[in-house]
Amino acid sequence: MRCTGGAFYSGSTNGDVEFRVAEHNAGLGANFTRRHRPVTLVYCEEWPTVAQAYEREKQVQGWGRAKKLALIEGRGSELPGLARGRQRKDVG
């Protein structure tokens, strides 16, 4: 989810995604989203098990902003090059 100020929040639910977003906007979500409302759903994935969804949530939470933006914008081919510590630094 994109929060007020442009920050991203990654979470998971085993229920209705739109209902969960509404809960976050009502102040019933994580502490982070309570302080950064309103939130908007910008990306969603479905996983066959709760364990897989939680593993993916933790993976995305560890990503930097540029990599999260590439995922949201559908630029999957750029994800490997955006790994932390592997980003190209301009020389000059």
Side-chain angles (χ1 to χ4, degrees):
M1 292 184 283
R2 186 183 314 265
C3 302
T4 296
F8 293 118
Y9 173 82
S10 300
S12 59
T13 182
N14 60 359
D16 181 303
V17 174
E18 293 299 329
F19 179 78
R20 188 67 181 129
V21 172
E23 284 184 322
H24 280 281
N25 279 321
L28 303 174
N31 286 330
F32 184 83
T33 59
R34 272 184 241 153
R35 294 188 316 269
H36 297 89
R37 291 182 284 160
V39 300
T40 305
L41 184 66
V42 292
Y43 183 80
C44 182
E45 293 179 355
E46 290 187 29
W47 290 87
T49 68
V50 172
Q52 288 172 314
Y54 183 75
E55 185 177 324
R56 177 64 164 171
E57 172 189 350
K58 293 302 170 193
Q59 178 185 37
V60 172
Q61 285 175 346
W63 290 357
R65 181 173 184 77
K67 193 167 183 177
K68 290 176 184 179
L69 274 172
L71 179 68
I72 292 164
E73 295 172 355
R75 297 181 284 120
S77 64
E78 296 178 25
L79 294 177
L82 293 171
R84 287 184 186 218
R86 292 186 54 193
Q87 295 180 17
R88 182 174 172 257
K89 296 195 186 305
D90 290 330
V91 178

